[in-house]
Amino acid sequence: MAARNTARPLSPHLQIWKWGPNMLVSILHRATGTGMATVGAALLVWFLAAVAAGPESYATFRDVFTVQSGGLNIIGYVVGIGLTACLFQHMANGIRHLFMDVGAGFELKSNKLQAQATMIFAVVMTVAFWLYLGIK
Amino acid sequence: MRSGTAIGRVRGLGSAKSGTHHWLNQRLTAGSNFLLVVWLLISILRQPSFDYAAMHLWLSNPWAAIPMVLLVASIFYHMRLGLQVVIEDYEQDQNRVALLVVMNLFVFTIAAIAIFSILKIAFGAAA
């Protein structure tokens, strides 16, 4: 890219805008996507490779996230709940983006409501997922 | 070419010819990701246990191994496209090129490991 003409002003950035749900979910979409693409992808691959390599490798993988009795430890809960929350937020906002791609939902009020709905969906689904996993 | 505004430099060069491909594939994989992730979440919730025997048995079944290969392909492609946009937005010049290369190496390497692992489990006889 050609060098920027420093005499020209930059557009105002994050610190100048009033926070709203729309910009929050937009930022969350990037953050959750990048988080899953790095931490989530690495863990998925480690899990698959560990199962493929045999019982000892899988035990090494499992011991990082579980206590002796087989339940999750702190790392297991933080990573597990973190990744599922990221997934549900990214999923909900991704679906919202598909509607916006066809030109729907740009009215100020409904756009704000959808943005809030994605976060509510993420929290509800994460709680429901872990409750079901816990009860089962 | 080096002076003037960004729009001034772009004018007259014609379209980039490849923008919609990236955009469209990101959307198409978003759709396939959704279906495959719903499958994965339901599969996780239905596991009787998460010990080695249960995991190995699950992935040795074609009904799990095939969707898992598809999931890795679809998600990792979507991931590559997404990380590319993030890098292009925040990095310039040499850093951008270097990071894009590293990102591609990362994604293709872990995709190869993932798919190889799934196939090894699936083809690994009835262990």
Side-chain angles (χ1 to χ4, degrees):
Chain A
M1 185 190 269
R4 189 179 66 84
N5 181 351
T6 48
R8 298 180 67 85
L10 285 170
S11 70
H13 200 41
L14 286 180
Q15 67 275 11
I16 208 164
W17 305 109
K18 180 169 168 283
W19 278 80
N22 328 56
M23 71 188 281
L24 177 60
V25 294
S26 175
I27 293 164
L28 278 175
H29 199 70
R30 277 223 156 157
T32 53
T34 310
M36 286 189 292
T38 50
V39 179
L43 286 180
L44 174 67
V45 172
W46 185 15
F47 163 78
L48 291 170
V51 177
E56 288 109 69
S57 301
Y58 185 69
T60 309
F61 169 81
R62 212 181 172 200
D63 283 349
V64 174
F65 305 103
T66 54
V67 291
Q68 209 73 42
S69 63
L72 288 173
N73 62 20
I74 282 285
I75 302 174
Y77 274 115
V78 170
V79 172
I81 293 175
L83 280 177
T84 42
C86 282
L87 173 66
F88 286 124
Q89 175 61 40
H90 199 84
M91 180 190 279
N93 197 48
I95 294 167
R96 172 170 168 266
H97 267 287
L98 291 178
F99 281 102
M100 285 162 60
D101 283 340
V102 295
F106 279 99
E107 296 76 17
L108 287 181
K109 200 173 171 189
S110 72
N111 194 282
K112 186 178 170 184
L113 277 175
Q114 294 158 17
Q116 288 164 332
T118 65
M119 291 185 280
I120 294 167
F121 172 88
V123 173
V124 169
M125 287 302 286
T126 307
V127 170
F129 182 86
W130 286 91
L131 277 182
Y132 186 87
L133 211 54
I135 292 164
K136 189 175 70 94
Chain B
M1 279 300 283
R2 284 279 165 174
S3 60
T5 58
I7 188 72
R9 285 197 299 274
V10 164
R11 257 184 206 138
L13 295 178
S15 84
K17 305 281 196 300
S18 62
T20 50
H21 176 256
H22 182 288
W23 185 93
L24 184 63
N25 282 353
Q26 184 98 61
R27 268 71 191 168
L28 291 173
T29 50
S32 51
N33 282 355
F34 176 78
L35 298 175
L36 291 161
V37 162
V38 168
W39 164 78
L40 179 66
L41 289 174
I42 292 171
S43 299
I44 292 172
L45 290 176
R46 290 186 62 213
Q47 290 305 313
S49 144
F50 295 100
D51 60 20
Y52 173 76
M55 293 293 101
H56 195 274
L57 183 69
W58 173 49
L59 288 171
S60 59
N61 187 327
W63 289 102
I66 292 169
M68 193 59 116
V69 170
L70 290 173
L71 181 140
V72 167
S74 174
I75 286 193
F76 283 25
Y77 185 42
H78 185 85
M79 199 172 101
R80 198 205 81 86
L81 296 173
L83 287 175
Q84 182 190 336
V85 173
V86 172
I87 292 170
E88 285 170 349
D89 277 357
Y90 302 124
E91 299 292 339
Q92 272 87 39
D93 307 320
Q94 296 96 325
N95 276 359
R96 177 186 289 186
V97 177
L99 274 170
L100 286 172
V101 171
V102 170
M103 181 273 286
N104 275 290
L105 287 175
F106 168 72
V107 173
F108 280 100
T109 305
I110 61 173
I113 298 171
I115 291 172
F116 176 84
S117 300
I118 299 162
L119 296 180
K120 188 183 176 217
I121 298 164
F123 295 151

